[in-house]
Amino acid sequence: MKSYKIASIPGDGIGQEVVPAAIDVLHTIADVHGGLKFEFEEFPYSCNYYLEHEVMMDADGLDKLKNFDAIFLGAVGDASLVSDHISLWGLLIKIRREFEQVINLRPAKLVKGVRSPLVNPKDFDIMVVRENSEGEYSSVGGRIFQGDDEIAIQNAIFSKRGTERAMRFAFELAAKRRNHVTSATKSNGIFHSMPFWDEIFKEVSKEYPEIRTDSQHIDALSAFFITHPDKFDVVVASNLFGDILTDVGAAIMGSIGIAPAANINVNGKYPSMFEPVHGSAPDIVGKGISNPIGQIWTAKMMLDHFGEEELGQQLLNTIEAVTNDGFLTPDIGGKHSTAEVTGQIIGRLKSGKVTIGN
């Protein structure tokens, strides 16, 4: 029997609601499959943890997490308790950076039964490969002077190694999909980093002559995500551009509550981390209406990472069977609760309506 040891960090707000739901789904998959097992250990790192300990995680938190096969994260942040730059840099970004999770993957696809706000969305299926370790989210910079003379300097860092790594990952992924990679750039407005990005994209593309390529300025590309999302397959983008594009991708799907993400360590030294795109949504905490699909779809991405791609696809098929039958939470136009949507997914997995092979 294969066994996966996973660190669970429900975090803040609705993370406390959707992580247990997704864990129940994963245990159901394991039970039905019969040949694998998930072992979860929960960690309390959150804004409430910060209020008690003045840190977002233990001093040895990374040492505790590094021996797990994966990290399953819910949501980080509650600005009413802790400033966002403290909560994010003290937990989420700290894990990403220290564990060398250099790739962020976020899909956007038309989900059956979920109404897209687009009039004619067609059948889009996009995977954004976001460089996750440097770029515009560098911590290099500072502030000098005070009052009207105060200056803030933020340096974007683009290394050839990091940029090539993200682009090669995108090309390898496209080879398993529809053989098309789009590069997000802004070389007509950003003088140094984006021409550098473009040059590396051209170099890497020569190694994959079978893959079709194009390059789009980020402003136009954001518009094309809305007007022609079906034209894209894999999109590779810098840290900031990828972050913005994937929020657009979540929006055209119908809700940020259904969008998943994966932070991938590619060298095998540390665990990868899986988290939904949505935040902690403090306005709906405790109402029982948080959408569990983003977290459950994130579990699908974790299964893919473990090499259990058939199980991952079957889980996504089950999610879509449930949404297609109208079991939707209020954020996507339904009236069903977190528990009801989760229960439908679990029930169908147990019933065998969606077959899970050994």
Side-chain angles (χ1 to χ4, degrees):
M1 177 177 288
K2 289 181 285 188
S3 180
Y4 300 106
K5 187 179 178 183
I6 302 167
S8 166
I9 307 176
D12 297 298
I14 63 169
Q16 298 281 338
E17 301 170 2
V18 296
V19 167
I23 288 175
D24 287 345
V25 169
L26 284 167
H27 284 317
T28 300
I29 288 174
D31 290 343
V32 173
H33 182 278
L36 74 161
K37 178 182 179 182
F38 298 104
E39 298 180 18
F40 287 90
E41 182 176 342
E42 184 172 319
F43 292 83
Y45 305 143
S46 63
C47 288
N48 283 321
Y49 187 87
Y50 182 89
L51 294 180
E52 184 176 351
H53 301 279
E54 296 187 347
V55 289
M56 288 298 295
M57 66 165 66
D58 299 329
D60 62 347
L62 293 174
D63 285 334
K64 292 177 179 177
L65 296 173
K66 70 181 181 181
N67 294 320
F68 286 86
D69 295 313
I71 301 167
F72 199 49
L73 178 68
V76 178
D78 186 337
S80 67
L81 300 177
V82 180
S83 296
D84 282 342
H85 71 281
I86 293 175
S87 60
L88 288 176
W89 282 89
L91 184 59
L92 174 64
I93 296 179
K94 186 177 182 67
I95 294 172
R96 284 179 177 175
R97 297 290 168 89
E98 296 294 329
F99 284 173
E100 300 177 18
Q101 295 168 351
V102 296
I103 300 294
N104 183 272
L105 286 179
R106 294 184 180 180
K109 72 184 295 291
L110 188 64
V111 177
K112 294 176 182 177
V114 178
R115 183 177 179 181
S116 168
L118 302 180
V119 173
N120 184 20
K122 298 184 180 178
D123 193 16
F124 65 87
D125 183 357
I126 307 167
M127 183 68 78
V128 176
V129 176
R130 169 188 171 193
E131 199 291 316
N132 205 37
S133 65
E134 50 184 40
E136 304 89 348
Y137 288 178
S138 158
S139 58
V140 177
R143 294 167 69 163
I144 58 174
F145 308 135
Q146 296 178 359
D148 291 341
D149 293 326
E150 187 172 13
I151 298 173
I153 299 171
Q154 178 70 51
N155 292 329
I157 304 296
F158 286 77
S159 70
K160 187 167 186 178
R161 176 182 294 181
T163 302
E164 282 184 343
R165 183 170 52 205
M167 290 176 177
R168 285 200 176 91
F169 193 101
F171 277 96
E172 294 292 336
L173 182 60
K176 301 175 184 177
R177 289 169 51 96
R178 302 192 304 278
N179 294 306
H180 182 201
V181 177
T182 299
S183 169
T185 185
K186 190 58 181 170
S187 51
N188 63 343
I190 301 176
F191 192 81
H192 293 295
S193 61
M194 285 294 104
F196 177 76
W197 175 278
D198 292 349
E199 291 165 12
I200 296 174
F201 184 70
K202 289 179 182 178
E203 290 176 10
V204 174
S205 66
K206 293 176 183 177
E207 301 174 22
Y208 300 88
E210 73 283 6
I211 305 293
R212 293 177 294 113
T213 64
D214 66 317
S215 184
Q216 301 284 348
H217 290 141
I218 184 62
D219 44 351
L221 183 55
S222 298
F224 292 150
F225 261 43
I226 295 168
T227 57
H228 298 291
D230 57 301
K231 302 296 184 183
F232 299 102
D233 178 17
V234 175
V235 177
V236 63
S238 66
N239 215 330
L240 176 62
F241 291 177
D243 195 6
I244 294 170
L245 279 176
T246 50
D247 279 358
V248 177
I252 63 175
M253 282 197 289
S255 171
I256 200 169
I258 64 176
N263 300 282
I264 304 298
N265 171 275
V266 297
N267 61 24
K269 291 171 60 178
Y270 301 104
S272 296
M273 179 168 61
F274 301 85
E275 51 161 338
V277 173
H278 65 68
S280 59
D283 57 318
I284 61 170
V285 171
K287 296 182 179 180
I289 59 171
S290 55
N291 195 330
I293 289 176
Q295 192 78 49
I296 296 171
W297 194 347
T298 295
K300 182 265 186 199
M301 297 188 77
M302 186 166 67
L303 287 169
D304 291 343
H305 180 70
F306 288 151
E308 307 288 350
E309 294 182 349
E310 182 181 351
L311 292 180
Q313 186 58 51
Q314 289 163 341
L315 176 54
L316 184 56
N317 291 346
T318 304
I319 291 170
E320 290 201 85
V322 167
T323 57
N324 198 46
D325 285 346
F327 291 95
L328 311 172
T329 47
D331 63 304
I332 47 177
K335 58 182 180 180
H336 293 277
S337 68
T338 309
E340 288 171 335
V341 173
T342 305
Q344 280 292 321
I345 293 172
I346 288 174
R348 293 175 194 228
L349 290 171
K350 287 182 176 178
S351 72
K353 289 185 179 179
V354 178
T355 303
I356 295 181
N358 291 295

